[in-house]
RNA sequence: GCGCCUGUAGCUCAGUCGGAUAGAGCACUCGCCUUCUAAGCGAGUUGUCGCAGGUUCGAUUCCUGCCAGGCGCACCA
């Protein structure tokens, strides 16, 4: 993916090196050259403020420094003009035809356009949702289902090997309480206090009994376990089914129990002991997480011999690392932000680098508004609205897109009424509409038998301002994907697509693509059709990264 | 008390590495469909980037303090 920006950066670095050799500049060549696409079109296709940074060190006026670099840039065949503006900005305008050649790059790369290699060779474990198998997935899980899945796609696009993992919290008191609740429902008894309520418990009880009618005859001790285990399996399968319809697929469903049954917890404890961060007080076994920024030490084994949930966490982290993952990403809800320090401390206690091997992303809350009021009721779960209910209301595409388009560290409000609307207010339709519109143009072009292959593509034809702007946006895509992966922020892809859709609509309004009436067919028509096809490809690739459909017709 | 997150237009929000005149959508005003999807396009109006300092050529962005809001601080899971 060699882009114009890479080319320009390399040329600027070369120019600086030559200037240093001549003695015009002192110091070394900076590794990072600032190069941006200016908001203002008068500032060229690309602009760099490098001269302002170098001026200090060189003891020269920054405009003088810019002049030193100007000639070298002008030598590039791809560059049309170089201007020095303001305090010393270098504004670069590309040769139109060379910029239009991007269409060729995109159409040849197809779905590969936008893929990069920044994370090549890095094995990432991406853990998200990780709900208890004791009830339906609700709104909080839904945000992660959408964002986590999109992040997985974006990281893969950056070259990483990604494993999506769902940690099943299938151990502990909650499971027992769950079993008791389902059993009580089966016998029509009162749900134990602090037990699970909601219609789904009754449905589960019916399913469990239907599956195994003899369950009610079992002796009490066996019966409770049987209820718990059957209901667990049914509820887990229900979560899997719902996630599948939401287009969120996991590579690994990791059971907390398996950590204990497989000896991973003991193994983890051993490892931490060897690292020297385990101690005993009051009969309990502790991990000295305060050595690494936690505000208090944490108990691994209680005085009564029981293992804490925290012990599972440590064992799980160590297990992930031993499975070969370089980076373990945890996506947690806002109510778990207190876990950041202790999880980082686990990594440090295990002898890893907590700045690299472990990352914790915290997602803030989601609220749903409908008819001007907050929606809280859920028929199924009794309290909070479920993933399935949200999808029933607005569909998978709108739900996924809306959840992804905001940074996760800010609380968000989903307005159901807006999501049902098919207008500009609803960004998912805006982007999808652009895709469908282009698809229609290409269908018509094929029908008119206009030569449209790349062999008929003359980049020099594309010199309208709108075409130029569209090409500029298309060129940004690989950079946007790389940035989204690096910063773990898939919403950047969504925002980019909205901008691209807007730029396309502008082009469409001013640049007629197909011949009118009996107008003769020219190479401009062919060129524009190729530009449309390239835009279609980028919209499609972008939507694919979000797991949102790119419809051919709307 | 300690910790995490947030504060940008009337509303909902973008704005990685500090850059030129801080951007979208909605709302409001006005234009554009007898030929490619008007679910669209164009033009206009809207700001003490929470407050106060600091760092520097330059701060919405980085640092410190304060104010306001959300959330969390178990030998629960």
């Amino acid at each position: 993916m060699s882009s114009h920006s890479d080319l320009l950066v390399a040329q600027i670095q070369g120019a600086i090196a030559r200037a240093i050799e001549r003695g015009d500049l002192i110091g070394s060549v900076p590794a990072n050259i600032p190069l941006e696409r200016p908001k203002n079109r008068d500032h060229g296709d690309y602009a760099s403020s490098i001269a302002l940074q170098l001026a200090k060190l060189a003891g020269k006026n920054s405009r003088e420094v810019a002049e030193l670099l100007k000639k070298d840039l002008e030598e590039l065949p791809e560059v049309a003009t170089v201007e020095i503006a303001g305090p010393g900005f270098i504004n670069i305008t590309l040769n139109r035809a060379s910029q239009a050649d991007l269409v060729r790059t995109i159409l040849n790369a197809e779905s590969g356009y936008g893929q990069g290699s920044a994370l090549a060779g890095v094995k990432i474990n991406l853990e998200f949702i990780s709900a208890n198998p004791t009830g339906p997935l609700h709104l909080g899980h839904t945000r992660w289902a959408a964002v986590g899945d999109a992040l997985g796609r974006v990281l893969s696009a950056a070259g990483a090997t990604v494993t999506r993992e769902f940690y099943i919290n299938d151990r502990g008191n909650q499971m027992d309480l769950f079993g008791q609740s389902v059993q009580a429902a089966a016998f029509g008894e009162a749900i134990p206090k602090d037990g699970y309520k909601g219609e789904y418990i009754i449905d589960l009880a019916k399913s469990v009994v239907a599956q195994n009618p003899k369950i009610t005859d079992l002796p009490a001790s066996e019966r409770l376990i049987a209820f718990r285990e059957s209901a667990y399996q049914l509820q887990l399968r229900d979560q899997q089914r719902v996630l599948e319809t939401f287009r969120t697929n996991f590579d690994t469903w990791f059971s907390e129990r398996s950590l204990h049954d497989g000896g991973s917890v003991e193994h983890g404890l051993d490892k931490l002991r060897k690292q020297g961060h385990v101690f005993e007080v009051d009969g309990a076994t502790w991990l000295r997480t305060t050595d690494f920024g936690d505000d208090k030490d944490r108990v691994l084994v209680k005085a009564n011999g029981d293992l804490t949930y925290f012990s599972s966490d440590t064992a799980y982290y160590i297990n992930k690392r031993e499975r070969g993952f370089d980076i373990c990403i945890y996506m947690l809800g806002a109510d778990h932000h207190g876990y950041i320090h202790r999880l980082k401390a686990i990594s440090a206690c295990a002898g890893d680098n907590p700045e690299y091997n472990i990352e914790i992303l915290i997602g803030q809350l989601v609220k749903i508004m409908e008819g001007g009021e907050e929606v809280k009721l859920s028929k199924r779960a009794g309290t909070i609205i479920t993933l399935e209910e949200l999808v029933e209301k607005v569909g998978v595409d709108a739900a996924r897109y809306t959840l992804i388009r905001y940074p996760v560290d800010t609380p968000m409000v989903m307005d159901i009424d807006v999501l049902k609307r098919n207008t500009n207010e609803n960004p998912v339709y805006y982007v999808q509409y652009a895709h469908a519109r282009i698809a229609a143009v290409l269908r018509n072009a094929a029908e008119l038998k206009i030569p449209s292959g790349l062999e008929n593509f003359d980049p020099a034809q594309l010199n309208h301002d709108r075409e130029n702007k569209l090409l500029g946006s298309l060129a940004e895509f690989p950079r946007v994907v790389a940035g989204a992966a690096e910063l773990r922020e898939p919403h950047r892809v969504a925002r980019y697509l909205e901008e691209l859709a807007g730029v396309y609509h502008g082009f469409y309004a001013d640049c007629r693509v197909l011949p009118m009436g009996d107008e003769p067919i020219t190479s401009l028509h062919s060129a524009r059709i190729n530009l449309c096809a390239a835009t279609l490809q980028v919209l499609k690739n972008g939507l694919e990264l979000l797991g949102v459909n790119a419809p051919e017709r709307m």
Side-chain angles (χ1 to χ4, degrees):
Chain A
M1 176 213 66
S2 79
S3 63
H4 286 119
S5 55
D6 295 336
L7 181 76
L8 293 171
V9 165
Q11 189 71 2
I12 291 170
Q13 284 173 326
I16 294 170
R18 284 185 285 277
I20 290 170
E21 234 167 84
R22 288 196 304 267
D24 289 335
L25 288 176
I26 48 174
S28 56
V29 180
N32 289 320
I33 301 292
L35 186 73
E36 58 168 18
R37 294 191 63 84
K39 294 161 209 149
N40 188 334
R41 298 267 311 124
D42 296 338
H43 297 151
D45 295 316
Y46 289 93
S48 179
S49 59
I50 185 67
L52 283 79
Q53 284 179 20
L54 293 175
K56 237 180 301 182
L57 204 64
K60 294 188 185 215
N61 175 308
S62 42
R63 286 190 71 106
E64 283 177 62
V65 176
E67 286 293 344
L68 290 172
L69 308 177
K70 185 178 171 190
K71 271 193 206 101
D72 292 48
L73 282 165
E74 283 170 337
E75 277 168 14
L76 285 173
E78 289 85 356
V79 170
T81 62
V82 179
E83 284 171 9
I84 314 290
F89 289 103
I90 303 174
N91 294 338
I92 303 158
T93 303
L94 296 176
N95 176 315
R96 291 293 172 88
S98 113
Q99 198 178 9
D101 216 42
L102 174 68
V103 169
R104 203 180 291 280
T105 307
I106 294 171
L107 293 178
N108 283 328
E110 296 182 330
S111 62
Y113 184 68
Q115 310 257 321
S117 56
L119 295 173
V122 180
K123 280 189 73 180
I124 296 179
N125 181 287
L126 185 62
E127 183 201 329
F128 56 107
I129 305 182
S130 297
N132 294 329
T134 54
L137 298 173
H138 56 70
L139 208 50
H141 302 128
T142 310
R143 186 171 199 176
W144 282 131
V147 176
D149 182 67
L151 179 58
R153 292 167 191 248
V154 166
L155 291 171
S156 299
T161 305
V162 179
T163 295
R164 293 135 202 262
E165 192 149 313
F166 187 116
Y167 182 56
I168 309 166
N169 290 123
D170 56 2
R171 196 174 164 278
N173 301 344
Q174 294 304 311
M175 289 302 292
D176 293 333
L177 207 50
F178 174 59
Q180 286 163 20
S181 303
V182 174
Q183 180 179 252
F187 287 96
E189 294 165 1
I191 304 280
K193 83 170 175 252
D194 302 329
Y196 289 85
K197 299 179 182 74
E199 275 181 31
Y200 77 98
I201 290 290
I202 296 165
D203 293 343
L204 274 175
K206 283 181 191 156
S207 302
V208 167
V209 174
Q211 213 173 45
N212 179 10
K214 291 184 192 150
I215 194 167
T216 51
D217 303 332
L218 290 171
S221 59
E222 283 177 43
R223 197 176 65 197
L224 178 58
I225 291 171
F227 265 104
R228 187 187 69 197
E229 293 308 300
S230 303
Y232 163 27
Q233 290 307 322
L234 286 169
Q235 189 59 60
L236 179 63
R237 245 173 280 148
D238 187 65
Q239 290 182 355
Q240 291 172 329
R241 174 187 62 79
V242 170
L243 286 170
E244 215 163 290
T245 63
F246 200 59
R247 297 182 212 128
T248 295
N249 298 301
F250 286 89
D251 302 298
T252 306
W253 292 79
F254 196 100
S255 150
E256 184 188 353
R257 283 180 191 174
S258 72
L259 280 174
H260 292 259
D261 299 344
S264 297
V265 175
E266 288 77 7
H267 174 71
L269 267 170
D270 279 351
K271 171 147 190 182
L272 292 170
R273 277 209 182 88
K274 280 180 195 144
Q275 295 285 333
H277 303 290
V278 176
F279 66 99
E280 316 231 339
V281 166
D282 299 336
T285 305
W286 300 66
L287 185 64
R288 202 182 305 280
T289 52
T290 50
D291 284 350
F292 300 101
D294 199 1
D295 54 349
K296 58 189 82 162
D297 292 324
R298 306 287 166 181
V299 174
L300 290 164
V301 187
K302 298 185 212 171
N304 67 9
D306 286 353
L307 292 161
T308 60
Y309 189 79
F310 182 68
S311 72
S312 296
D313 283 339
T314 57
Y316 187 33
Y317 170 77
I318 289 166
N319 175 281
K320 281 179 181 172
R321 292 280 291 138
E322 289 180 353
R323 275 187 279 150
F325 295 109
D326 302 305
I327 300 175
C328 302
I329 301 182
Y330 290 72
M331 307 178 88
L332 304 177
D335 53 340
H336 284 69
H337 70 246
Y339 284 53
I340 297 176
H341 286 138
R342 74 188 73 162
L343 285 171
K344 289 263 181 192
I346 289 174
S347 175
C349 287
D352 289 342
N353 175 5
E355 298 302 315
Y356 178 73
N357 299 119
I358 186 166
E359 288 180 31
I360 295 130
L361 305 180
I362 296 295
Q364 297 294 323
L365 303 175
V366 182
K367 261 197 222 174
I368 289 205
M369 304 293 286
E370 190 169 23
E373 285 181 14
E374 185 176 350
V375 185
K376 282 187 168 161
L377 289 180
S378 162
K379 281 172 284 179
R380 301 202 65 224
T383 49
I384 318 166
I385 192 161
T386 67
L387 192 166
E388 203 167 17
E389 286 163 334
L390 177 67
V391 169
E392 278 164 18
K393 282 178 189 293
V394 303
V396 174
D397 281 347
R400 282 188 69 112
Y401 190 92
T402 307
L403 288 163
I404 294 168
R405 90 183 267 271
Y406 298 95
V408 289
D409 52 11
T410 122
M412 68 166 289
V413 179
M414 285 182 97
D415 190 327
I416 298 292
D417 303 319
V418 167
L419 294 179
K420 284 178 174 167
R421 234 169 270 163
N422 298 345
T423 68
N424 222 341
E425 286 171 78
N426 191 354
V428 64
Y429 283 106
Y430 186 75
V431 175
Q432 288 183 319
Y433 179 70
H435 184 272
R437 195 180 218 189
I438 298 171
V441 171
L442 296 179
R443 276 195 301 272
N444 296 338
E447 204 160 300
L448 292 170
K449 298 203 165 47
I450 300 171
S452 60
L454 274 177
E455 64 280 7
N456 301 301
F457 177 63
D458 174 12
Q461 296 293 325
L462 301 177
N463 55 25
H464 191 282
D465 271 355
R466 292 287 200 180
E467 292 163 341
N468 191 242
K469 200 169 176 210
L470 181 53
L471 286 163
S473 291
L474 294 174
E476 280 299 282
F477 184 59
R479 230 197 221 205
V480 170
V481 176
E486 188 191 332
L487 298 163
R488 323 294 192 231
E489 292 184 347
H491 78 272
R492 287 168 185 277
V493 174
R495 298 291 172 160
Y496 164 80
L497 291 176
E498 289 165 33
E499 193 197 315
L500 176 60
V503 172
Y504 180 80
H505 288 314
F507 156 81
Y508 181 90
D510 286 355
C511 297
R512 175 83 200 183
V513 177
L514 301 176
M516 300 224 268
D518 45 9
E519 184 189 338
I521 293 167
T522 67
S523 55
L524 177 60
H525 295 125
S526 297
R528 284 183 172 167
I529 288 166
N530 277 294
L531 177 58
C532 286
T535 308
L536 183 90
Q537 185 71 57
V538 174
L539 286 170
K540 195 172 167 184
N541 293 358
L543 286 169
E544 176 68 28
L545 286 176
L546 306 181
V548 173
N549 281 318
E552 300 280 318
R553 294 171 201 272
M554 286 176 81

